[in-house]
Amino acid sequence: MIKKAVIPAAGYGTRFLPITKALPKELLPIIDRPTIEYIVNEAIEAGITDILLIVSSNKNAIIDYFDYNIELESILLSKNKVEEYKLVRNIAQNVNIHYIRQREQLGLGHAVLQAEAFVGNEPFAVLLGDDMYVGKDQPAIKQLMDAYDVVQSSVLGTMEVELKNTSKYGICTPKSDAVKPYVELKGVVEKPKVEEAPSRSAIGGRYILTPGIFKLLKNQERGAGNEIQLTDAILRLMATEKVYAYDIIGKRYDVGNKVDYIEAILDFGLKKDEIKEDLQKLINRKAK
Ligand code: UTP
């Protein structure tokens, strides 16, 4: 049973500068809740009991968000604002959230390595702090946890992307006899040139990994972007263990990308009772 999840959230968020100078990308609001709360909730819904958030020195606001704020709560109660009190009190219940700082931003692989002591010797989930999913029927990470139960090996959550976008992702090479839904891989490459992409199957920010990844991350050389890449260590893992790709069924938003971020706000807004009608009218007006 997979019970632990790691959420790397220590990156610089350069695509969203200058706001990310002061506000962590993971706290960019989807109206009134930060993106990372949706990701934490996805893990909770999947049955994860312990989450390690990987943060950096200027991300303390993330830790504050998931903590109680006794002063605010008592002020709300003294003003009889019980609903507002519940809103701030009931964030991320029923899960233990742990934190560790990645002291240098050397890449996603290096971020995941910080989770070694937390994870121990069991398989674990990784959810990137800027990828939001609305899974069909099941949360995205639960789909991968169920796939792990079948294959008992590492599973990468994938999706088909357009060829021109392959250079933005880790791209999978399936074995020639692989069949969906559990696609055994023979390779994976981080951000290949479009003309060198081995397929259009891209890793979309969700992973189940076996603890064997840690000894590889420890001596992983820098790769694409001069960063220590998780994808490169996963490729080396394939020398000793099977690694599978599994297509996540659902809608993904790369919140580090501005248009995806706006789409997430619109889609979530259209599900919010108190604004959905007015928002739909606004969208119709703008579309004209
Ligand atoms: P990204 O490359 O999308 O995030 O990394 P970034 O570096 O913050 O953003 P841009 O590209 O500069 O706009 C994917 C995930 O890995 C985390 C990020 O926080 C994000 O959740 N990450 C990346 C780390 O935790 N540490 C790192 O050293 C690098």
Side-chain angles (χ1 to χ4, degrees), residues 143-212:
Q143 296 176 31
L144 298 191
M145 289 158 69
D146 290 346
Y148 175 86
D149 284 343
V150 176
V151 299
Q152 296 287 313
S153 283
S154 296
V155 186
L156 317 179
T158 46
M159 63 202 172
E160 292 269 312
V161 297
E162 287 181 50
L163 187 62
K164 68 172 191 311
N165 288 329
T166 47
S167 59
K168 297 180 192 157
Y169 295 94
I171 302 291
C172 299
T173 315
K175 284 197 165 176
S176 53
D177 56 351
V179 276
K180 286 191 177 184
Y182 311 106
V183 178
E184 196 184 336
L185 300 179
K186 66 174 181 196
V188 68
V189 53
E190 185 63 30
K191 300 189 176 71
K193 290 189 187 134
V194 169
E195 56 277 18
E196 288 166 12
S199 75
R200 295 195 292 119
S201 172
I203 308 172
R206 296 289 182 276
Y207 312 72
I208 304 294
L209 296 172
T210 56

Side-chain angles (χ1 to χ4, degrees), residues 198-247:
S199 75
R200 295 195 292 119
S201 172
I203 308 172
R206 296 289 182 276
Y207 312 72
I208 304 294
L209 296 172
T210 56
I213 198 72
F214 292 116
K215 71 173 189 301
L216 300 169
L217 285 171
K218 274 184 200 154
N219 58 17
Q220 182 59 53
E221 290 180 1
R222 290 172 189 244
N226 200 29
E227 292 188 355
I228 297 174
Q229 295 288 357
L230 181 61
T231 307
D232 294 342
I234 293 173
L235 175 66
R236 290 166 63 218
L237 189 65
M238 286 175 203
T240 51
E241 296 178 17
K242 291 182 175 183
V243 176
Y244 291 81
Y246 183 91
D247 279 345

Side-chain angles (χ1 to χ4, degrees), residues 7-17 20 25-26 54-55 59 102 104-112 127-131 191 227-228 254 256:
I7 304 183
Y12 287 119
T14 52
R15 285 172 292 167
F16 257 100
L17 281 170
T20 43
K25 172 170 71 170
E26 298 77 11
I54 316 249
V55 294
K59 304 251 180 170
Q102 182 191 19
E104 278 182 288
Q105 279 53 69
L106 299 181
L108 176 60
H110 181 258
V112 172
L127 301 87
L128 295 196
D130 53 0
D131 272 316
K191 300 189 176 71
E227 292 188 355
I228 297 174
D254 170 9

Side-chain angles (χ1 to χ4, degrees), residues 5-9 25-28 30 33-48 51-53 62 65-66 92 95 97 125-134 139-142 204-206 252-256 268:
V6 175
I7 304 183
K25 172 170 71 170
E26 298 77 11
L27 289 185
L28 283 171
I30 307 296
R33 291 184 189 270
T35 55
I36 196 161
E37 187 179 354
Y38 289 96
I39 295 165
V40 164
N41 286 344
E42 176 189 330
I44 297 171
E45 280 165 33
I48 295 289
I51 295 174
L52 179 68
L53 286 178
I62 297 179
Y65 185 78
F66 288 109
V95 73
I97 303 188
V126 177
L127 301 87
L128 295 196
D130 53 0
D131 272 316
M132 276 174 58
Y133 275 91
V134 178
I141 198 66
K142 180 71 167 68
R206 296 289 182 276
R252 170 181 179 265
Y253 305 89
D254 170 9
V255 185
F268 282 79

